[in-house]
Amino acid sequence: HYLGKEMVQNLIMLRFANSVFTPCFNRDHIDSVQITFKEPFGTKGRGGYFDEFGIIRDIMQNHLFQVLTLVAMERPVSTSADDIRAEKVKVLKAIKALKPEDIIIGQYTKADSPIKGDEEDSMKGYKDDPTVPKDSSTPGHPCSPSSS
């Protein structure tokens, strides 16, 4: 679902087949990249799932790391799945392992104002979802600040 988003699917073409971006989409011209996952709604009844697996395992290590590899990888030899995977693996091997002190985690609480179009769910905090245990300590908002 997330990797099926049109922009994510087009990253390879944007990076390697676009004559405007290709020459400047490299470490010599880009100082930093921020990958943000933001949804305009709460858990929508999926809190039990998120509480069991956690947002880090579900979103960060799966979806966002895929986006990271697409943004950071070198041009693959071809557009075959094996060649793209090989470049993604190179990126993942080059990343330093995160330590708990490198990550900021937390749970979101009730919003002060609703998000237009989702007034009911967007006002709830993580533990307001009836499928989330009241004593939950599962992170709902991880942040991994970049380091130089």
Side-chain angles (χ1 to χ4, degrees), residues 41-44 106-110 124-127 140-141:
F41 52 82
T43 58
K44 290 211 175 263
Q107 290 181 339
Y108 61 91
T109 58
K110 182 180 177 187
K124 295 178 181 176
Y126 181 70
K127 291 183 185 177
H141 275 50

Side-chain angles (χ1 to χ4, degrees), residues 10-89:
N10 289 326
L11 276 173
I12 291 176
M13 294 304 286
L14 177 69
R15 292 269 330 273
F16 304 117
N18 185 306
S19 61
V20 174
F21 288 116
T22 299
C24 59
F25 206 112
N26 61 54
R27 66 177 178 231
D28 296 326
H29 299 282
I30 297 176
D31 183 52
S32 69
V33 174
Q34 292 183 15
I35 299 171
T36 302
F37 175 80
K38 183 178 179 184
E39 291 183 312
F41 52 82
T43 58
K44 290 211 175 263
R46 302 170 299 166
Y49 169 81
F50 283 120
D51 203 69
E52 182 178 343
F53 293 100
I55 196 92
I56 293 172
R57 275 180 40 199
D58 180 49
I59 302 296
M60 193 171 179
Q61 87 171 18
N62 290 328
H63 306 300
L64 299 185
F65 273 28
Q66 287 290 333
V67 174
L68 168 67
T69 59
L70 290 171
V71 169
M73 72 183 196
E74 294 293 332
R75 178 188 294 272
V77 174
S78 76
T79 55
S80 76
D82 287 339
D83 289 338
I84 293 170
R85 185 179 318 105
E87 292 303 323
K88 288 179 173 183
V89 168

